[in-house]
Amino acid sequence: GENVEQHPSTLSVQEGDSAVIKCTYSDSASNYFPWYKQELGKRPQLIIDIRSNVGEKKDQRIAVTLNKTAKHFSLHITETQPEDSAVYFCAARGIMDSNYQLIWGAGTKLIIKP
Amino acid sequence: DGGITQSPKYLFRKEGQNVTLSCEQNLNHDAMYWYRQDPGQGLRLIYYSQIVNDFQKGDIAEGYSVSREKKESFPLTVTSAQKNPTAFYLCASSDRGSPSNYGYTFGSGTRLTVV
């Protein structure tokens, strides 16, 4: 089945700088890769996603890149702001027990220093 | 207003007691999921259901039970066999038949504490 690894577990950046979080996946058949943001005590919310037929997708200050050959994808946040502080989870759509579902990375705690 | 509703927001369980967490969605999603999240940790899958009257164990099903009698509802029971149930429980749903939307929608969670 699918396995997703996420790095780093904690990332601290200065406000205004960029942040990059990386994930690798194991199943070459995976075709959908979302990123979720979870603020303290709240639910995870989808912030951006990418499908396997696309190499890059942008939405204002956030972007996701996908390298299918290397089986990794990354979240890029530019011009970071205090409200970007949260835990970010990557996921890959893979097969578990013959059913498609999202397989999650362990999460990255992003800390924006003022 | 479509969404997924979890209740209660906070729940306190005494030792040896069974408690049930509610999860209801009006998104017409086929699939529903229960996750457990411990402080500072990731999402661990407890149970999932792809269709009414069918469900499968996830990675940490021991001490938990579920039912899926209606498409809209997927309640989770934390039994007395779960020795360390204090955690944040998240319910999610997805439209597994929609190629344009594979993402999950999460409820706002239930924080369970053993007293």
Side-chain angles (χ1 to χ4, degrees), chain B residues 63-85:
Chain B
Y64 300 96
S65 66
V66 292
S67 62
R68 187 81 187 278
E69 297 176 1
K70 298 186 299 180
K71 188 176 185 178
E72 303 80 18
S73 179
F74 191 41
L76 173 74
T77 296
V78 184
T79 75
S80 57
Q82 173 50 245
K83 297 306 179 188
N84 185 22

Side-chain angles (χ1 to χ4, degrees), chain B residues 82-103:
Chain B
Q82 173 50 245
K83 297 306 179 188
N84 185 22
T86 295
F88 188 47
Y89 291 85
L90 286 160
C91 180
S93 69
S94 70
D95 186 358
R96 69 188 187 103
S98 171
S100 63
N101 183 19
Y102 292 141

